[in-house]
Amino acid sequence: MSGRPPRAPKGRPERRRGRGRPEGGGAGSGSGTRSRPRPQVLSELGGDQVEGRRAVLELLTVGRRTVRRILLAEDQDPSVQLDRIEELAARLRVPVETVPRARLDAQARTEAPQGVLALARPLEPVPLEDLCRPGRGGTAPFLLVAAGITDPRNLGALLRSAECAGVTGVVLPRHRSARLSPTVAKTAAGAIEHLPFAVVGGVPSALHELRELGVWSIGLAGEAPQSLYDLPLGEGPVALVVGSEEKGLAHLVRRRCDAVAAIPQHGALPSLNVGVAGAVACFEVARQRAAAGAGTPASVPGARS
């Protein structure tokens, strides 16, 4: 294999353009033998196809999982991000194919893949208890529980905000929730490469387990009398629970939260978008943690309701 996969050997342009090769094939070798398609790896989370320049760049930069192949559209304008993608792919020995834009767009599952698409090993979930361990430097867990967000753009935007606010782990339900699709990955702009995910059978039982593990859970509900800004969120393990787009927190999920709070509003509309509400809440935790010195796992908020 060449030290720079983005550049095909002279005299073999068909390899560079990816013609005559099955979509599921691997990097291949110098022989003319046609490689067998690799079996599809199933995952509860997804993440096997990543689209968009920032998302693919983070995929390569973080190096959390194997990247099988990258497709680049022909005739793109010069771009620092594209140059960096090719540079990292060469360093990691990831095959890169330059293909007609029509072919890339046909394989893409987002409306605007920005001329780049990567095929990678799916993200693997971690056990819920792993998310409850202190982070580097003893930082207390700061979790986000997405309890039934089905719109991939909402989930992607929320994950991007969560990562920027310092969330250390995300909990997703196995059913009635968006997965880490190409749309989620692109909207999250690479945040999925930095966040560990736990997949749970039911959010209520997960909240019970979090309580047993010493994590205080706060549900967001627009009609709650308690203001989020009045809660002490700067110290100890905490989990923000965000409900679905249409119904908010389910009844049992709400009951299992240690506290339910609202983000004060001052306009005429009744509620915020779920991604926006989650982002505001995440940054309120980040603000309080910064004021308290980033928080420690030593003390857990007590029986506050």
Side-chain angles (χ1 to χ4, degrees):
M1 181 179 293
S2 170
R4 264 187 79 83
R7 301 289 181 259
K10 293 183 178 179
R12 300 181 66 183
E14 70 280 3
R15 288 290 298 278
R16 184 171 181 262
R17 294 176 63 89
R19 294 176 182 171
R21 291 174 57 82
E23 285 298 330
S29 63
S31 67
T33 304
R34 187 169 179 166
S35 59
R36 296 180 180 179
R38 297 184 181 183
Q40 184 178 8
V41 180
L42 300 178
S43 167
E44 288 187 294
L45 280 172
D48 55 304
Q49 184 160 313
V50 179
E51 302 172 16
R53 296 178 184 183
R54 170 53 59 184
V56 172
L57 185 56
E58 290 298 318
L59 170 69
L60 294 169
T61 301
V62 175
R64 179 179 176 183
R65 51 206 178 103
T66 303
V67 182
R68 296 193 290 111
R69 187 159 50 122
I70 293 174
L71 302 183
L72 292 179
E74 293 177 336
D75 303 324
Q76 299 192 68
D77 292 333
S79 163
V80 173
Q81 285 185 327
L82 290 177
D83 290 345
R84 183 61 176 159
I85 287 171
E86 289 197 80
E87 177 187 336
L88 288 171
R91 184 183 303 171
L92 298 170
R93 297 184 178 274
V94 176
V96 176
E97 296 180 51
T98 303
V99 300
R101 185 175 290 275
R103 178 188 163 188
L104 187 142
D105 289 344
Q107 187 166 342
R109 293 187 296 212
T110 63
E111 294 179 359
Q114 298 178 314
V116 59
L117 179 156
L119 303 175
R121 182 175 181 82
L123 283 163
E124 296 295 335
V126 302
L128 182 61
E129 56 268 25
D130 286 4
L131 299 185
C132 300
R133 297 192 176 108
R136 295 176 182 176
T139 303
F142 173 14
L143 308 183
L144 173 68
V145 182
I149 298 176
T150 56
D151 186 294
R153 288 181 178 82
N154 280 338
L155 181 58
L158 179 55
L159 294 177
R160 181 175 185 173
S161 298
E163 199 285 325
C164 289
V167 163
T168 60
V170 179
V171 180
L172 296 175
R174 184 168 289 113
H175 307 291
R176 293 183 292 278
S177 173
R179 287 291 171 265
L180 303 183
S181 66
T183 298
V184 171
K186 181 174 181 289
T187 308
I192 67 170
E193 308 304 330
H194 298 271
L195 293 166
F197 294 84
V199 177
V200 298
V203 172
S205 59
L207 294 177
H208 176 75
E209 185 175 352
L210 287 178
R211 180 182 295 171
E212 295 294 313
L213 292 168
V215 179
W216 191 45
S217 60
I218 302 97
L220 296 181
E223 72 283 0
Q226 174 76 60
S227 170
L228 179 73
Y229 303 140
D230 293 333
L231 293 177
L233 306 172
E235 297 182 358
V238 65
L240 291 175
V241 186
V242 181
S244 66
E245 289 93 344
E246 294 184 4
K247 299 181 179 178
L249 295 176
H251 177 67
L252 188 52
V253 170
R254 187 181 184 118
R255 286 185 57 189
R256 290 289 174 85
C257 291
D258 296 304
V260 178
I263 297 170
Q265 295 177 219
H266 308 284
L269 295 180
S271 64
L272 292 167
N273 168 273
V274 64
V276 174
V280 171
C282 285
F283 276 95
E284 174 61 14
V285 175
R287 184 192 68 81
Q288 291 195 28
R289 285 194 161 201
T296 66
S299 62
V300 178
R304 289 174 282 185
S305 59

